[in-house]
Structures are given as structure tokens and as C-alpha cells.
Amino acid sequence: MRSVRPILKTLLLLAPLTLSLTLGAARAGGGAAPPAAPTPTVSPASAVQPARQAARVSLRALADARGLLFGAAVNHTLFDPNEPDYARTLNRHFNAVVAENAMKWAGLHNNREAFAFGFADAIVDTAVKNGQTVRGHTLVWHDSLPPWVYTIQTREELLRAMQDHVTGVVTHFRGRVHIWDVVNEAVSDAPGHPLRPSPFLNLIGPDFIDEAFRAAHAADLGAKLYYNDYNTDGLNGKSDAVYELVRGMLARGVPIHGVGFQAHLNTDFDVKGAQVQANLQRFRDLGLDVQMTEVDVQLRPARPEADELARQAAVYRDLLRTCLNVQCAGFVTWGVTDFNSWRAGGRPLIFDDMYDPKPAFAAVAQELAR
Ligand code: XIL
């Protein structure tokens, strides 16, 4: 990837049309529909300049002023000596950090007999040193499980293994990590949105969710415990199922404090049309915190890039505004910069391959400053 980035940078410097259109659209702050394409007249230098100016804004300072957690998921690039801009960008613009993969079950507990906390500790300690809040992600998930979990045959053994995992991880990070995604993606996409088949559901039963939260709470009484899922951002059948799930948990006295909405989106997503605000508000009305936990907005292929970047900015703007409207507790982008996003092809983040701010950055800055 690194070898092509200088080329991309050159191309971008030679692309005044793209930049002038997208930055203009971001400044206008218009609706989802991109403006009609004007004839490009600006020089490369003047077109690039507004993006550089925008970078002087610190999103972190703006988020701090609002009391909002504004985070990014991080990976090994944080420690890559060839990528100093990664940590620089993270520390300048984000007051919260999530390990993209390092704190998943397979990342911490691949060997049943011993936890391997080294990489996760490095991420957490770096964040704490830089004054950033860490979201712990994620304790119980059907994905990223080590092979040994699948060998377990009885409810009792798996329940104990799950409790031991949750207890071991939360205890280890107690004092450094105060927010946990305890259960991730337990609701399926199938019609009716029943709980998703997984070793936990299949062997323990639906109460694995309550038990995971109880174990996390017992290990750290002060931690904020979240249920986290995707395609639940708007009002729809799946978010209805999550709503019923967490309502039931509250009724049973299960220690749950918040719901995370991943918001893996693309530029066709219509925040208003999907009724994201009404959806988030119903969870707030249950007394729960809400966070947008994994935001990325992929560009759609085969469309004019300038239009797509403007649409992307509009989705970020609308989503952040909605989040702020319901006093959300956090807004986390799933990565720092496009080139090492899990969906790098969709260039879904607010910094481009060169760590330069995109129109979506300007939109986010504007919203945070409002
Ligand atoms: C993804 C990571 O970004 C990838 O690097 C990894 O290969 C798979 O997991 N929902 C989640 C995240 O809760 O943990 C996932 O992260 C993306 C979807």
C-alpha cells in the first residue's frame, strides 16, 4: 500500500476538479443531493489549500468542548515507524480509541490456558498516556473466536469459559478501560431477527447475553456496558429486535448501560429517511446511553468522485448531528485513514490515503463546532 501512496498523492494534487467540488459542497453543507458540477477553474494549489486549512482544526478539541467521545479504531499501524502520521492524526483529532481487532477473543485468548495481553496493553497504555478514553471491543462475539471454543460440548463448560473470559479481560483492564462492548451482533439478519446462531446461543441458550453482562459487571462495577450491533441505526426490524432484547434485559435487572450502533454505511444511506433519530431516541428513553461505534461511509463505485465525496460528507454530517441531537455519548469512526480501513476500497473515512482531511472531515468539524 505504501508504495502506491506517493502516486496517489501526486494524482490528488493534479485533481483540482475533485477537490474544489467536494470542498465546496462541504462548505455549503447542503443536503444529501450533491450540487450540479460547475466547470473547474481553480488551480491545483488553491484547490488543495482549503483541505490543509481544515486540518488545522482539531476535532479532538471540538469534541472535548462538547463532552463527546470522538474516537477511531486502531490497528498495528499505530506502532509502524514508517507511518508517524497515523499516531499524529489519531492524537490530534480523536479523544477516544478502540482496538480494531486486538481485544477480540481470538486476539486476547487464542490459547485457552493463558491470555495474551501484550498488543492490547500497548494500545491501551498508549491511549491512556495520550489522555484518550478506550472503548473495549468486544467480549462476546460469534466471530473471531479461537478454535478451542468450538471444541466445547456442554452448556456448563461453555458458560464457565465465557464467564472466565469476560472476567479475565475486564479485570485485566480495570482502571484503564471503562466502556465495554460486552455482546456484539447477537441479533441475526434473518426474517424476524431471532438471536444469531453461535456456540453461545446454541450451547448456553439466549441467557448467554445476560450472563456475559453480569460477569462484566461483577469484574468492574464502574464500567459502562454496551450491546453493539450493525444495521440497527435506523428504525427497522432488526433495531426493533435489539430494542426488545435490551428492554427485556433492563426488566430482568441485567446491568446494561448503553447500546452501540455500528453505522457501517455507504453514500446511499439516508439518515433522515431511515429515522435514525427516532430509533436512537427510543433507546435513550429506556435510560440507556447510545454511541455510534464503528462509523464508516463507503463511496459507491462508478459514480463521479466529487459527488460521492459530497454525499459521504453529508452522511457523516447528518449522522453526527442526529447523534448530538439525542445527547449520544460517543461517535467512533472505524479506522483513522482510508488506506488501512477494513473497507479501504470504499474509502469510507474522514482522512484520505495521505492523512489529509476529506470533505467529510470538514462536515464533522462543522457539526462539532455548531
Ligand atoms: C472487523 C475488522 O475491522 C477487520 O479488520 C476484521 O478482519 C474483522 O472485524 N463489526 C464489528 C467489528 O463489531 O469488530 C468488525 O471489525 C467490523 C464489523
Side-chain angles (χ1 to χ4, degrees):
M1 193 66 219
R2 276 189 60 75
S3 60
V4 302
R5 286 173 53 221
I7 298 168
L8 286 172
K9 188 155 205 156
T10 307
L11 288 175
L12 193 56
L13 286 167
L14 295 173
L17 170 61
T18 298
L19 275 165
S20 62
L21 291 183
T22 54
L23 291 166
R27 270 198 301 275
T39 312
T41 51
V42 291
S43 70
S46 63
V48 170
Q49 198 55 27
R52 295 278 156 72
Q53 296 287 350
R56 293 192 190 150
V57 170
S58 158
L59 300 183
R60 179 177 185 167
L62 294 172
D64 283 347
R66 303 192 73 112
L68 177 75
L69 288 187
F70 185 73
V74 301
N75 57 31
H76 57 275
T77 314
L78 182 58
F79 304 108
D80 183 344
N82 295 317
E83 293 287 340
D85 284 344
Y86 188 94
R88 209 175 283 148
T89 304
L90 182 73
N91 295 332
R92 173 151 176 72
H93 291 293
F94 298 92
N95 63 17
V97 168
V98 184
E100 182 173 1
N101 291 305
M103 291 165 88
K104 292 170 179 174
W105 196 315
L108 294 178
H109 204 176
N110 202 42
N111 169 1
R112 188 173 186 173
E113 311 312 321
F115 288 101
F117 287 120
F119 182 40
D121 274 341
I123 291 174
V124 170
D125 290 344
T126 302
V128 170
K129 192 184 80 200
N130 289 314
Q132 289 154 323
T133 298
V134 180
R135 289 193 90 255
H137 174 84
T138 175
L139 296 168
V140 179
W141 188 28
H142 65 277
D143 202 314
S144 296
L145 290 170
W148 65 263
V149 171
Y150 294 93
T151 66
I152 296 177
Q153 302 283 340
T154 68
R155 172 186 152 87
E156 290 65 34
E157 190 183 349
L158 185 56
L159 179 57
R160 204 175 330 109
M162 184 190 77
Q163 290 166 331
D164 288 350
H165 176 75
V166 170
T167 304
V169 173
V170 175
T171 302
H172 178 81
F173 291 106
R174 191 168 53 205
R176 294 183 291 163
V177 177
H178 307 283
I179 304 169
W180 284 101
D181 286 334
V182 178
V183 173
N184 196 35
E185 303 181 353
V187 171
S188 83
D189 299 307
H193 303 284
L195 292 181
R196 176 194 303 276
S198 71
F200 308 109
L201 180 71
N202 304 349
L203 219 50
I204 301 172
D207 61 333
F208 84 87
I209 298 174
D210 293 3
E211 294 303 335
F213 277 80
R214 290 194 179 109
H217 185 62
D220 185 352
L221 296 175
K224 295 273 192 195
L225 306 182
Y226 277 69
Y227 176 80
N228 191 51
D229 215 328
Y230 66 90
N231 283 356
T232 52
D233 317 296
L235 281 181
N236 57 44
K238 191 171 178 187
S239 65
D240 287 349
V242 171
Y243 180 78
E244 290 309 325
L245 171 70
V246 301
R247 207 161 62 108
M249 292 169 71
L250 289 166
R252 292 189 294 277
V254 175
I256 176 170
H257 311 108
V259 176
F261 300 83
Q262 293 183 8
H264 291 296
L265 306 172
N266 65 43
T267 54
D268 284 336
F269 190 76
D270 176 356
V271 173
K272 289 194 182 68
Q275 297 184 266
V276 175
Q277 183 156 331
N279 185 43
L280 299 182
Q281 188 61 52
R282 64 176 167 168
F283 289 91
R284 296 289 287 127
D285 291 344
L286 290 175
L288 294 168
D289 290 341
V290 300
Q291 299 195 0
M292 313 311 299
T293 51
E294 304 183 16
V295 182
D296 52 14
V297 181
Q298 293 195 82
L299 307 181
R300 306 291 295 192
R303 291 188 189 164
E305 181 181 344
D307 292 357
E308 280 300 285
L309 289 170
R311 282 178 188 273
Q312 183 180 57
V315 175
Y316 269 97
R317 182 201 59 216
D318 291 349
L319 195 67
L320 179 55
R321 184 175 299 180
T322 302
C323 188
L324 294 170
N325 283 347
V326 302
Q327 279 86 47
C328 67
F331 188 99
V332 177
T333 65
W334 203 241
V336 174
T337 186
D338 281 343
F339 83 88
N340 68 3
S341 157
W342 75 313
R343 288 176 171 172
R347 289 185 285 148
L349 297 169
I350 64 175
F351 293 97
D352 69 15
D353 288 351
M354 284 69 72
Y355 302 91
D356 280 331
K358 295 162 63 180
F361 172 98
V364 166
Q366 260 176 23
E367 275 314 298
L368 290 175
R370 247 157 55 97

